[in-house]
Amino acid sequence: MPQVVEIEPLTRERFREFGDVIEIDGNGSYSINGGMADRFHDLAKVQVGGPEGRVLISMVRSRHYELPLIVSAVERHPYGSQAFIPTEQGAFLVVVCLDRQGVPQAPRAFIAQAGQGVNYHSNVWHGVLSPLGNEQDFLVVDRGGLGNNLEEYNFADPYVIGWNTP
Ligand SMILES: NC(=O)N[C@@H](O)C(=O)O
Ligand code: NI
């Protein structure tokens, strides 16, 4: 019987052990451009490692997913962090797992509301990008270079995310 995972609101505190929440709300800023703009500085830790590692800036246009979402596999990137920042208003599902000796533990699921992005720290197990409601575009900041930066894990029993989400 698949195990049900409740969806939690995405907050910096709840997500701390998995990575960073990228958002304006709740963060300080400083004035730039002669007072015409405010910079919300250094919101996420970009990690780049491995052979010839370098930072990539890409865009992803993802089709949307429906709830409840069946998660049968997760992935991680050993050589670098991976950030997804929405470029338009919309919610997306963030699924992450703690690791125990190379095996992902039961997932936790968060819903990222409009204005929130996430940065998975290097080697953090996560589900693939999962917009909810409609197709969405994202800015992606992650690691390029040589070597294999993708490790995948298939769960013996899939998880059901958001079974009773209204
Ligand atoms: N491959 C890619 O850009 N995306 C995945 O790593 C993902 O986490 O969705
Ligand atoms: Ni990924």
Side-chain angles (χ1 to χ4, degrees):
M1 179 66 179
Q3 189 177 330
V4 175
V5 177
E6 299 300 322
I7 298 178
E8 306 171 50
L10 180 64
T11 67
R12 264 192 310 280
E13 293 67 33
R14 290 169 182 245
F15 198 68
R16 192 178 303 282
E17 53 196 328
F18 303 106
D20 313 290
V21 177
I22 301 168
E23 59 184 341
I24 282 183
D25 291 354
N27 280 304
S29 65
Y30 58 83
S31 181
I32 59 171
N33 303 347
M36 291 302 289
D38 300 308
R39 180 174 171 129
F40 296 80
H41 182 66
D42 196 12
L43 296 178
K45 182 167 63 174
V46 180
Q47 301 160 313
V48 172
E52 298 187 28
R54 65 188 181 90
V55 177
L56 301 178
I57 292 182
S58 310
M59 296 283 293
V60 167
R61 174 164 292 168
S62 173
R63 261 55 74 203
H64 77 278
Y65 293 76
E66 303 286 347
L67 291 180
L69 181 70
I70 308 297
V71 174
S72 54
V74 288
E75 62 172 49
R76 64 180 179 177
H77 309 297
Y79 287 150
S81 55
Q82 186 173 56
F84 292 102
I85 301 109
T87 61
E88 49 199 334
Q89 299 299 316
F92 67 103
L93 193 65
V94 177
V95 177
V96 284
C97 308
L98 290 177
D99 176 73
R100 183 179 297 151
Q101 296 170 335
V103 179
Q105 302 306 289
R108 285 182 67 186
F110 302 93
I111 189 153
Q113 298 294 356
Q116 291 186 307
V118 291
N119 179 52
Y120 302 122
H121 287 171
S122 175
N123 235 20
V124 169
W125 292 109
H126 57 275
V128 295
L129 181 61
S130 306
L132 299 175
N134 50 32
E135 180 179 86
Q136 287 183 49
D137 293 349
F138 293 79
L139 176 72
V140 183
V141 180
D142 57 6
R143 180 263 184 196
L146 303 181
N148 179 22
N149 192 32
L150 173 63
E151 182 181 354
E152 297 172 291
Y153 185 94
N154 293 291
F155 291 117
D157 296 310
Y159 290 88
V160 178
I161 311 284
W163 184 261
N164 59 353
T165 303

